[in-house]
């Protein structure tokens, strides 16, 4: 694995390795850093972001990297520079890796094929969002341990959601049962997972993962009537009461309160929404460390031990 762009082809062993590493970073471990050696990373965000961008920055700094500041609105992108030329520029001035979010599906995959430094997908259009998926899976792993046989219900704007896609692929790889639920026009036939009625599935799921309505990806954005959507397709208090005793609620955020989920449930006992954000830092540290500190890991005892453990999964 030289890049981290998709959850489709990643193996269960690789995911387990990254989960264990996430755990180590969550417990405060840090890789050895060479003193006096400055290393740089850049985050090219062509789409808005709060959580992903900031948690990548924190992850990079915790690992000892300097972050090259890039703001699309104040860059040569406004003079028409291509993604490729922008990436080549930041590599030329010292970036060892590119973290990128772009509105076009596949823009990131294409870039990864063109560059010889690691490329990390921070969300490409309605394509994939693999680090979000890793932090989501880590949240479930912390809660339930083994993911085999876990029932995960993903609810909302499936067809436009990169979060749904990456999670569905990775969860299947780990042996979880993935169910999808959405209004008919937001179903995605490219995803080969069963669609279920929210009211029927709510009682048998261990995880209810809600998705934000991706209005920015809709051809003709419609005003969503809050109550109407919530009552038909969202997580109401009445539905939450019917969830299994230990089931948890997740949402990648930003949340449209009272549309995808009742405002009162966002911070309820079952909700892991803010935990997900916290774990995002450690999951991103795991990915960056894997891609950028590989040599040290491959020769070091820690890596050997971790890998042995992963292989026995
Ligand atoms: C998600 C994204 O940007 O795809 N947000 C995130 O990264 N936490 C989900 C969303 O915006 O709906």
């Amino acid at each position: 694995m030289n890049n981290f762009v998709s959850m489709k082809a990643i193996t269960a062993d690789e995911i387990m390795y990254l989960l264990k590493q996430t755990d180590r970073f969550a417990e405060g471990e840090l890789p050895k850093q060479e003193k006096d050696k400055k290393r740089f990373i850049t985050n090219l965000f062509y789409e808005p972001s709060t959580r992903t961008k900031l948690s990548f920055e924190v992850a990079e700094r915790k690992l000892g990297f300097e972050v090259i500041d890039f703001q699309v609105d104040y860059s040569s992108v406004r003079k028409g520079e291509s993604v490729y030329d922008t990436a080549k520029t930041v590599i030329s001035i010292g970036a060892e890796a590119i973290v990128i979010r772009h509105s076009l599906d596949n823009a990131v995959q294409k870039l990864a094929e063109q560059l010889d430094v690691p490329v990390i997908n921070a969300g490409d259009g309605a394509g994939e969002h693999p680090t979000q998926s890793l932090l989501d899976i880590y949240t479930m792993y912390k809660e339930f341990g083994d993911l085999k046989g876990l029932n995960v219900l993903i609810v909302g704007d499936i067809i436009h959601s990169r979060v749904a896609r990456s999670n569905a692929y990775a969860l299947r790889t780990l042996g979880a049962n993935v169910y999808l639920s959405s209004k008919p026009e937001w179903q995605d036939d490219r995803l080969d997972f069963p669609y279920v009625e929210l009211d029927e599935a709510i009682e048998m799921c261990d995880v209810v993962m809600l998705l934000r309505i991706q209005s920015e990806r809709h051809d003709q954005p419609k005003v969503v009537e809050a109550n109407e959507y919530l009552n038909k397709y969202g997580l109401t208090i009445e539905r939450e009461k019917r969830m299994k005793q230990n089931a948890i609620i997740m949402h990648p955020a930003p949340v449209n309160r009272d549309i995808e989920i009742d405002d009162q449930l966002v911070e309820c006992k079952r909700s892991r929404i803010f935990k997900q954000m916290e774990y995002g830092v450690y999951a991103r540290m795991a990915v960056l460390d894997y891609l950028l500190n590989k040599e040290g890991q491959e020769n070091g005892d820690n890596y050997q031990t971790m890998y042995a453990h992963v292989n026995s999964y």
Side-chain angles (χ1 to χ4, degrees):
M1 190 165 58
N2 298 320
N3 302 295
F4 196 65
V5 294
S6 164
M7 289 308 237
K8 200 166 189 175
I10 191 166
T11 64
D13 282 352
E14 284 169 326
I15 300 175
M16 285 312 295
Y17 172 74
L18 291 170
L19 293 180
K20 305 276 179 191
Q21 288 293 83
T22 302
D23 229 6
R24 294 172 68 173
F25 290 124
E27 278 160 22
E29 257 189 62
L30 286 175
K32 281 196 205 91
Q33 293 166 25
E34 274 180 63
K35 270 207 187 122
D36 307 327
K37 188 179 173 210
K38 286 207 186 291
R39 301 178 71 187
F40 296 91
I41 292 191
T42 195
N43 304 318
L44 304 181
F45 276 67
Y46 289 78
E47 268 195 350
S49 172
T50 300
R51 272 149 290 270
T52 306
K53 184 161 188 278
L54 296 183
S55 69
F56 262 113
E57 275 180 29
V58 173
E60 288 153 1
R61 294 210 165 100
K62 282 193 174 212
L63 291 174
F65 288 93
E66 305 272 334
V67 183
I68 302 175
D69 185 41
F70 174 82
Q71 293 178 40
V72 77
D73 281 336
Y74 298 97
S75 73
S76 292
V77 173
R78 291 287 164 257
K79 302 178 192 169
E81 188 163 56
S82 68
V83 176
Y84 175 78
D85 282 336
T86 302
K88 285 295 281 188
T89 303
V90 286
I91 294 166
S92 304
I93 62 174
E96 284 185 47
I98 303 278
V99 175
I100 174 166
R101 168 171 286 194
H102 201 278
S103 56
L104 293 179
D105 308 11
N106 280 320
V108 177
Q109 279 80 352
K110 195 170 150 213
L111 192 67
E113 283 160 22
Q114 293 170 311
L115 300 179
D116 49 15
V117 302
V119 172
I120 297 136
N121 185 356
D124 64 319
E128 285 216 41
H129 196 350
T131 59
Q132 178 70 41
S133 169
L134 185 65
L135 75 90
D136 289 342
I137 284 172
Y138 181 71
T139 307
M140 296 179 215
Y141 170 74
K142 285 292 276 184
E143 199 73 36
F144 302 103
D146 195 350
L147 269 69
K148 273 195 200 97
L150 200 73
N151 292 329
V152 181
L153 175 63
I154 307 180
V155 186
D157 189 356
I158 306 279
I159 195 163
H160 302 106
S161 173
R162 52 200 179 200
V163 177
R165 211 173 314 285
S166 286
N167 270 318
Y169 297 143
L171 285 164
R172 174 157 61 192
T173 301
L174 293 177
N177 305 316
V178 178
Y179 301 96
L180 307 176
S181 183
S182 81
K183 46 197 277 190
E185 60 267 41
W186 290 347
Q187 294 187 2
D188 185 349
D189 298 337
R190 293 167 301 173
L191 281 175
D192 182 21
F193 295 87
Y195 278 88
V196 292
E197 286 299 324
L198 181 55
D199 278 316
E200 282 165 28
I202 198 81
E203 288 170 12
M204 60 96 175
C205 285
D206 302 295
V207 178
V208 177
M209 181 187 290
L210 304 153
L211 302 170
R212 183 177 64 85
I213 299 174
Q214 307 281 298
S215 312
E216 71 273 32
R217 302 187 210 291
H218 295 177
D219 290 340
Q220 288 163 325
K222 285 192 205 127
V223 179
V224 179
E225 294 295 338
N227 276 341
E228 196 190 322
Y229 185 85
L230 182 68
N231 289 335
K232 265 192 165 160
Y233 304 106
L235 191 61
T236 57
I237 291 175
E238 186 274 323
R239 288 190 180 112
E240 184 270 338
K241 286 200 181 116
R242 290 167 45 217
M243 286 171 66
K244 271 164 96 168
Q245 198 185 349
N246 296 324
I248 60 167
I249 298 168
M250 296 176 61
H251 189 309
V255 174
N256 289 310
R257 289 175 184 249
D258 281 334
I259 297 182
E260 293 123 15
I261 173 170
D262 190 290
D263 175 53
Q264 290 179 48
L265 297 176
V266 173
E267 292 173 67
C268 75
K269 224 169 135 222
R270 290 183 190 283
S271 169
R272 297 294 177 273
I273 297 174
F274 288 93
K275 268 281 164 214
Q276 289 172 260
M277 296 174 204
E278 181 191 326
Y279 292 157
V281 172
Y282 309 125
R284 290 176 174 122
M285 286 173 81
V287 171
L288 292 166
D289 182 58
Y290 178 79
L291 294 174
L292 288 155
N293 295 329
K294 235 186 246 170
E295 257 168 56
Q297 289 169 357
E298 272 158 14
N299 300 328
D301 285 347
N302 281 348
Y303 184 84
Q304 301 293 349
T305 317
M306 290 297 299
Y307 208 75
H309 196 77
V310 169
N311 280 337
S312 66
Y313 170 71

